[in-house]
Amino acid sequence: MKYGRTFNFSAGPAMMPEPVLEEIRDEMMNYRGSGMCVMEMSHRSKVFQQIIDEAEQDLRDLMGIPGNYKVLFIQGGATLQFSMIPMNLMKNGKAVYIETGAWSKKAIAEAKKVGEVIVAASSKDENFTYVPDCSDLDIPDDTDYVYICENETIHGVTWNKLPNTKGHVLVSDQSSMFLSKPCNVSDYGMIYAGVQKNVGPAGMVVVIIREDLIRDDLTDLPIYLQYKTHADAGSMYNTPNCWAIYCCGKVFKYLKSIGGLEVMHQRNIEKAKVMYDFLDASKMFTGTVRPEFRSLMNIPFVTESKELDAEVVAATKAAGYDNLKGHKSVGGLRASVYNAMPKEGVEALVEFLKKFEAEHTV
């Protein structure tokens, strides 16, 4: 790591690739001869239009997004989508949700304010340590969509096989695994992701939505809450989060430059393996998720007590490994190893934890 930077294991906002940060630094005072920073320029300018156009095209290239899907950059982060999705997609007022952790649980609570929510499967019975079998769900014919959180940031569980929606639209929250591996966009009606985990600074969500799901009959819904508004205006109905779009665009180009999502996925597999191999061999530290459902992005683990957990967190922070405290709702420890976390960061953390364990084991 350069410039005295720390290995930041935060669940978000999270690390960004150093080459991207260096490029942003170099353009900070004068973006490509414009005489100003991107944060200062008009979103209506030709310069910024090129930035947003390139960002969208690079994302389309990375993911192979079909032409009948819109790419939207919307303010409000992923949490706003908990409400926007049912408001826009509940034609019949009914949706099926799969409960696999804290974020799908929050989405369920918001959707219930809009219409009928059927929780067709849940892993609550084992504290969200696995993804339930969704090969034969009970889905009513008039269900508008099936909703999943494809990677649960807090509980560290991930979907390895998409649910059988029996012909219904699949909506996925990919916030904490977005662009971490190849994705067949056609399998989904809509994908969305808060960008502050794997792509850029906080304050924006990327929405990838099939055009036939964008409705023009929602006259009573506030205009900013309609996907049509953002689609028709090219994500610039009002002043967008220009800085986030610019930074995300840089990350998209970076991912293309290293070989795309296949290369990124392989790096993520190798990186997570370092951590999981250590946890499986350790006598002090234990992973909390069933092996077959372990996330490549968020790795929760615990010791024998809350007191020892706290001691580990303090020791790692003092040693320069930051944000390893588990989410307040579950406790323990958690290492988030998103795309920008280098493998050497995980290796260094594991070496430190091995040393800690050796020094604290009688």
Side-chain angles (χ1 to χ4, degrees):
M1 299 292 284
K2 306 177 206 171
Y3 318 118
R5 285 168 53 75
T6 185
F7 287 119
N8 178 11
F9 292 91
S10 171
M15 292 179 70
M16 290 178 61
E18 285 193 354
V20 169
L21 292 176
E22 289 169 346
E23 203 172 311
I24 290 169
R25 175 202 62 199
D26 293 344
E27 294 177 347
M28 180 67 76
M29 300 300 289
N30 184 356
Y31 176 76
R32 299 187 182 179
S34 66
M36 64 184 80
C37 173
V38 172
M39 284 188 281
E40 301 172 303
M41 65 178 55
S42 168
H43 62 295
R44 304 295 182 193
S45 65
K46 287 183 180 179
V47 179
F48 185 74
Q49 188 64 55
Q50 183 179 3
I51 290 172
I52 193 171
D53 287 347
E54 284 188 17
E56 177 178 338
Q57 189 56 55
D58 286 337
L59 181 59
R60 287 184 176 278
D61 293 345
L62 270 175
M63 297 184 73
I65 300 173
N68 64 324
Y69 284 74
K70 290 285 189 182
V71 174
L72 312 176
F73 302 107
I74 303 176
Q75 296 180 62
T79 300
L80 179 61
Q81 297 308 306
F82 298 164
S83 303
M84 277 187 75
I85 288 164
M87 286 176 175
N88 282 265
L89 301 188
M90 275 192 178
K91 281 187 175 180
N92 299 317
K94 185 182 293 183
V96 163
Y97 279 65
I98 315 302
E99 186 183 38
T100 52
W103 294 110
S104 50
K105 191 174 179 181
K106 284 179 180 287
I108 288 166
E110 291 301 293
K112 283 181 176 178
K113 298 174 183 177
V114 181
E116 181 184 352
V117 172
I118 299 165
V119 180
S122 174
S123 54
K124 187 178 182 180
D125 61 331
E126 293 186 23
N127 197 30
F128 303 122
T129 55
Y130 70 101
V131 174
D133 179 8
C134 293
S135 59
D136 189 22
L137 297 172
D138 185 9
I139 304 175
D141 290 342
D142 59 347
T143 296
D144 292 308
Y145 61 89
V146 176
Y147 180 102
I148 64 171
C149 178
E150 204 163 335
N151 189 88
E152 287 279 3
T153 319
I154 292 174
H155 289 89
V157 292
T158 199
W159 289 70
N160 296 313
K161 184 180 180 182
L162 295 177
N164 177 6
T165 65
K166 299 180 178 177
H168 294 84
V169 170
L170 177 62
V171 175
S172 176
D173 175 0
Q174 288 193 359
S175 293
S176 54
M177 45 87 76
F178 190 55
L179 302 184
S180 65
K181 64 179 184 178
C183 173
N184 184 15
V185 177
S186 297
D187 290 340
Y188 308 81
M190 175 178 158
I191 295 167
Y192 75 93
V195 301
Q196 74 275 18
K197 302 175 184 299
N198 243 355
V199 195
M204 189 178 77
V205 67
V206 174
V207 170
I208 302 166
I209 183 169
R210 211 171 61 214
E211 289 178 346
D212 62 293
L213 298 176
I214 300 173
R215 295 167 61 185
D216 57 10
D217 62 336
L218 297 169
T219 53
D220 293 334
L221 186 62
I223 194 162
Y224 198 78
L225 297 177
Q226 299 180 35
Y227 292 125
K228 178 175 168 54
T229 300
H230 302 281
D232 289 351
S235 297
M236 288 200 279
Y237 172 74
N238 67 329
T239 308
N241 189 333
C242 298
W243 183 247
I245 292 168
Y246 162 73
C247 293
C248 290
K250 293 283 188 193
V251 173
F252 300 156
K253 285 188 185 299
Y254 167 77
L255 289 171
K256 288 176 72 175
S257 75
I258 67 168
L261 301 187
E262 292 83 0
V263 172
M264 194 70 251
H265 187 211
Q266 192 56 43
R267 288 188 186 182
N268 288 330
I269 290 171
E270 293 170 2
K271 190 167 52 180
K273 187 177 187 298
V274 173
M275 191 69 188
Y276 285 124
D277 283 353
F278 162 70
L279 292 175
D280 289 341
S282 172
K283 290 182 171 60
M284 176 180 283
F285 300 100
T286 306
T288 58
V289 177
R290 285 195 207 169
E292 64 267 38
F293 302 110
R294 287 172 167 175
S295 169
L296 295 181
M297 300 283 99
N298 310 103
I299 305 175
F301 56 106
V302 293
T303 66
E304 64 184 20
S305 70
K306 292 181 180 178
E307 292 74 23
L308 187 54
D309 287 348
E311 193 178 336
V312 174
V313 169
T316 52
K317 187 163 187 175
Y321 308 105
D322 207 3
N323 292 305
L324 279 153
K325 186 177 181 180
H327 191 270
K328 59 186 178 182
S329 66
V330 296
L333 303 108
R334 174 179 53 173
S336 291
V337 291
Y338 297 122
N339 285 356
M341 171 62 70
K343 186 179 180 183
E344 52 262 36
V346 183
E347 291 171 338
L349 173 63
V350 164
E351 286 307 308
F352 181 85
L353 293 175
K354 282 181 179 177
K355 185 169 178 283
F356 183 96
E357 181 172 352
E359 292 172 351
H360 289 75
T361 302
V362 178

